Amino acid sequence: MSVSRATITSPGTGPLAAFIKLARVKFLFQSMMVTGFGVTLAVHATGVFSLRWYLLTLAFAWSTHLMTHFCNEYFDLEADRANPSPTAWTGGSRVLVDGLLKPAVSIGAAFVLLFTSVVLTVLMPSLTARILATALMALAWFYTAPPLRLNYHALGEVTCAAVLYGMGPLLAAYLQAGQFSSLLLWGTGLVAAQQVLRCLIMNLADIEGDARVGKRTLAGVLGPRRLAFTYAAGQLGLYIGVVVLAALGELPPTVALAQLAVAPVAIFVVRSLSSGAMADPSRANAVTFWSSMQLPLTTCLTMVGLLVDLSLSSRPAPALWSFIAGITTLMFALWLRQAVHATRRHAGAP
């Protein structure tokens, strides 16, 4: 099973284009939606919105997210070189693998962004926020960096979930509200658990290359068959949780409907795994794509559901946040449309 280099890199790519590709900017939509998700949960709880803290949170989220990309590209280089079947969503950017840039460029950029994130952390208003941001940065850095190399010791899936979909929305909400609501904790728990399941799929795509260099991911420990069962059971349990909480009145109906609307994505991934899709490069690309999109789709639709619930409760969100949330949703929708078309082209679909 292999993917030709032509599907991964373009001959003649210039240094700037290679650097942008190395950054894997397309994944920043996830941290943008995570930030909006956390802010909306805070607005739902308090009715208050601070533009200042939103912009600081978004800057921190993007800086830390990019730092992680550059750090991973550098410390995962040997695993990426050993990977015989990268997809557009796994196996790294292939920029360092194909020699388009030197590894020093990647680690240098990672350190610059680390220092940027530290400065943004210092600007945060409370000790609790700064501790949360520092823990987030540390876990993100040591995801692949020594001495911890968490993703090499079957801890990467949980670490990734804790950083992006756990601490990310918690920090965004805390900077807005200074507190954690029960709805915030459920919403964060849902997407963090989904992120663990998503990371299993991503590491499944890289399992051959990882095994060759001694990289021990949770996906490698489980193996394809048990991983597929874990993914299916986990998704089923999470969506049952949505239904139960809605029935108990703990989850607003609009939010429950929004979260359940994404369930077909999980069903597609489960069916694909059961039919051996990961053995086919074009189908594997679609599986990794949609398993990745479940998360920003869930955060985006939950955000919309929360804003609708506020309007139905006659306590609409602040106009500025409603506007920003609307623009964020539109940007994500446009990007998703383009990404879906690209995935179809990769698979040779009409």
Side-chain angles (χ1 to χ4, degrees):
M1 180 172 65
S2 64
V3 177
S4 68
R5 180 172 295 185
T7 65
I8 303 297
T9 61
S10 301
T13 300
L16 179 58
F19 184 79
I20 293 172
K21 186 169 187 176
L22 181 70
R24 310 200 84 187
V25 176
K26 61 188 177 183
F27 286 104
L28 294 184
F29 275 95
Q30 296 201 43
S31 48
M32 179 184 72
M33 296 312 305
V34 161
T35 301
F37 177 67
V39 170
T40 306
L41 283 162
V43 169
H44 188 273
T46 66
V48 177
F49 168 66
S50 168
L51 178 62
R52 174 188 179 187
W53 297 127
Y54 166 70
L55 293 176
L56 177 66
T57 309
L58 185 60
F60 175 81
W62 277 347
S63 176
T64 308
H65 202 161
L66 284 171
M67 175 202 79
T68 308
H69 287 173
F70 288 118
C71 186
N72 290 352
E73 290 281 336
Y74 181 81
F75 291 110
D76 261 348
L77 181 55
E78 291 307 310
D80 290 341
R81 282 174 174 160
N83 190 342
S85 55
T87 72
W89 298 88
T90 62
S93 68
R94 317 306 288 177
V95 169
L96 300 185
V97 171
D98 290 342
L100 299 177
L101 290 174
K102 294 181 179 180
V105 173
S106 191
I107 193 62
F111 273 112
V112 169
L113 288 159
L114 173 61
F115 297 145
T116 301
S117 296
V118 169
V119 171
L120 293 170
T121 298
V122 171
L123 296 176
M124 292 178 186
S126 70
L127 179 61
T128 299
R130 290 192 288 271
I131 290 174
L132 188 56
T134 301
L136 190 157
M137 282 188 293
L139 288 174
W141 183 267
F142 291 115
Y143 177 72
T144 51
L148 300 183
R149 309 199 83 183
L150 295 165
N151 199 33
Y152 284 67
H153 298 89
L155 294 171
E157 291 86 349
V158 174
T159 300
C160 184
V163 167
L164 184 56
Y165 283 96
M167 296 179 181
L170 288 178
L171 180 62
Y174 191 81
L175 285 172
Q176 291 290 325
Q179 63 185 32
F180 300 125
S181 67
S182 58
L183 187 56
L184 168 67
L185 296 177
W186 159 251
T188 301
L190 171 68
V191 293
Q194 288 178 336
Q195 174 71 345
V196 172
L197 298 174
R198 174 251 179 186
C199 287
L200 287 175
I201 302 298
M202 307 303 274
N203 282 337
L204 175 61
D206 295 340
I207 200 167
E208 281 189 64
D210 291 345
R212 291 178 182 181
V213 298
K215 183 177 179 181
R216 186 169 177 264
T217 64
L218 183 56
V221 171
L222 290 173
R225 183 172 297 179
R226 284 189 296 175
L227 186 153
F229 175 80
T230 300
Y231 183 89
Q235 293 287 356
L236 179 61
L238 289 172
Y239 284 116
I240 289 175
V242 172
V243 173
V244 170
L245 286 176
L248 293 175
E250 297 295 325
L251 200 60
T254 56
V255 174
L257 289 173
Q259 294 175 348
L260 291 172
V262 191
V265 174
I267 294 172
F268 167 78
V269 175
V270 170
R271 293 181 63 183
S272 297
L273 291 175
S274 65
S275 64
M278 298 304 288
D280 179 341
S282 62
R283 292 181 67 201
N285 188 66
V287 174
T288 55
F289 170 74
W290 283 112
S291 65
S292 295
M293 289 307 100
Q294 181 189 20
L295 280 301
L297 279 170
T298 298
T299 53
C300 180
L301 291 180
T302 299
M303 188 167 67
V304 173
L306 289 165
L307 293 175
V308 171
D309 181 64
L310 284 174
S311 295
L312 293 176
S313 302
S314 299
R315 50 187 188 99
L320 180 57
W321 177 242
S322 295
F323 174 76
I324 293 173
I327 293 297
T328 300
T329 300
L330 178 61
M331 289 174 60
F332 172 66
L334 292 173
W335 175 85
L336 179 62
R337 181 174 181 272
Q338 181 181 16
V340 169
H341 287 166
T343 301
R344 287 177 175 174
R345 286 196 303 269
H346 184 90

